[in-house]
Amino acid sequence: MNRIMKLSYFLIFVLIFRMLPEVNAQHQIPGDFCISSDELKLYNLVNTYRKQNKLPEIQLSKSLCYVARVHVKDLHLNHPDTMDCNLHSWSDQGNWAECCYGREKINHTCMTSKPGELTNYPGKGYEIAFWESVDAQPDIVIDLWKSSASSNDLMLNKGVWKGSSWNSLGVGMLKGYAVVWFGKEPDVEEGVKICSGNGKPEILENEISTTEAAIEKTETQTEVLKTEEPKTTQVRYYLIGASVPEESQAKSEVERFRKKGFKNPKILPAGKMYRISLSDYATKEEALAAKKRLGEKYDDVWIFKN
């Protein structure tokens, strides 16, 4: 009996020992990790905005920058932000816990636990996020966050964040995505490198080809706005309330928004995804004003330029 118990303890020890490298590996930030010039600019814009409001600067955090980079890459390649899952969601395609964060399914740990899952950062993380169809520009990103009540409160320690003190800040940008992470604890990692060259985060070729394959054109259907090459160069700014993979789901979303009082929600095809447009405008300023009027209840509504 004793020999059997000893053998059991030995097997458990071996199993735990073999698992340790996999667990620890997720806490290692690559030695060549760096942030781009656009990411640095966005970081400076956040701190400039804080200084304008008589608030102290927040220290740039290597750990939170890494979390931000991992998240924008996941958003760009795997698109976990579908249906009621917003930009704070994470896919099942990485060494982290898959989760959905949205109006209908508020899951705070989906966001706050990620720094601890991916790095040695000692506290929780709080994120604001941005997406549009063209490459994100720091000036446009910060303007949109200023117009969003919840994002603005987070940047300026207002509202529910009034008693909080941010000691760490991380930034990530990739294609149309941009995120900023805030943390109350100082980072245990030191030093953030700035990328040389064009300052663009690298994506492996096979990942790019996978993404491009995933955004091939789909045929337009009844009730779906056509997306042929425009005959004019006129640009419209759409308020997008949801993004779903199936046309039947998109039609259900249209009906859901109609019941909520939106007069003319429409479907915009986007490759294998369908976006629900709540309204559209001729200028970015008009779209930003309309988004602001929606209030915090629709804070995850974003602007699509087309």
Side-chain angles (χ1 to χ4, degrees), residues 38-263:
D38 275 349
E39 288 169 333
L40 179 62
K41 181 177 180 180
L42 182 56
Y43 163 74
N44 287 328
L45 284 172
V46 172
N47 271 327
T48 296
Y49 185 45
R50 285 177 59 83
K51 284 192 290 184
Q52 291 169 350
N53 286 271
K54 305 186 185 311
L55 293 170
E57 291 188 8
I58 309 173
Q59 183 68 35
L60 187 62
S61 162
K62 183 177 182 179
S63 296
L64 294 186
C65 282
Y66 180 69
V67 173
R69 176 70 59 74
V70 172
H71 195 200
V72 291
K73 187 175 180 180
D74 183 44
L75 288 167
H76 173 63
L77 295 175
N78 303 313
H79 304 289
D81 52 321
T82 60
M83 293 292 288
D84 285 321
C85 303
N86 64 25
L87 291 170
H88 302 309
S89 304
W90 291 70
S91 77
D92 60 355
Q93 299 300 306
N95 193 18
W96 54 74
E98 173 197 7
C99 57
C100 172
Y101 193 111
R103 286 196 308 271
E104 309 298 332
K105 187 176 181 180
I106 297 176
N107 177 9
H108 295 298
T109 58
C110 177
M111 176 197 301
T112 59
S113 65
K114 288 301 177 284
E117 291 180 35
L118 296 168
T119 71
N120 288 314
Y121 184 73
K124 296 178 179 180
Y126 305 89
E127 180 190 49
I128 54 177
F130 169 97
W131 186 88
E132 69 173 348
S133 59
V134 296
D135 286 358
Q137 301 297 320
D139 294 323
I140 294 176
V141 173
I142 194 73
D143 283 346
L144 182 61
W145 284 339
K146 289 177 183 179
S147 73
S148 164
S150 60
S151 297
N152 191 66
D153 284 354
L154 199 64
M155 289 192 291
L156 299 182
N157 294 109
K158 291 185 174 182
V160 296
W161 308 106
K162 188 174 182 179
S164 301
S165 178
W166 304 130
N167 288 292
S168 296
L169 189 150
V171 290
M173 298 182 69
L174 182 61
K175 300 298 182 179
Y177 293 94
V179 300
V180 167
W181 284 76
F182 298 82
K184 297 178 183 179
E185 290 76 15
D187 194 358
V188 295
E189 299 282 351
E190 296 182 353
V192 182
K193 298 177 183 177
I194 309 302
C195 302
S196 58
N198 62 11
K200 297 292 184 182
E202 293 184 358
I203 308 177
L204 299 178
E205 286 186 11
N206 65 328
E207 291 174 331
I208 293 177
S209 62
T210 300
T211 303
E212 290 176 345
I215 59 173
E216 61 186 345
K217 275 194 173 183
T218 57
E219 295 181 359
T220 57
Q221 306 288 336
T222 306
E223 294 186 48
V224 179
L225 298 180
K226 293 185 178 181
T227 57
E228 295 90 357
E229 287 296 318
K231 296 180 181 179
T232 68
T233 58
Q234 184 179 7
V235 172
R236 301 293 294 178
Y237 294 83
Y238 298 85
L239 290 188
I240 304 299
S243 179
V244 295
E246 302 290 340
E247 186 181 353
S248 59
Q249 295 171 332
K251 290 179 179 179
S252 296
E253 287 294 297
V254 166
E255 290 305 313
R256 183 170 73 89
F257 281 111
R258 279 185 181 144
K259 291 178 181 178
K260 288 180 177 291
F262 291 91
K263 295 181 179 179

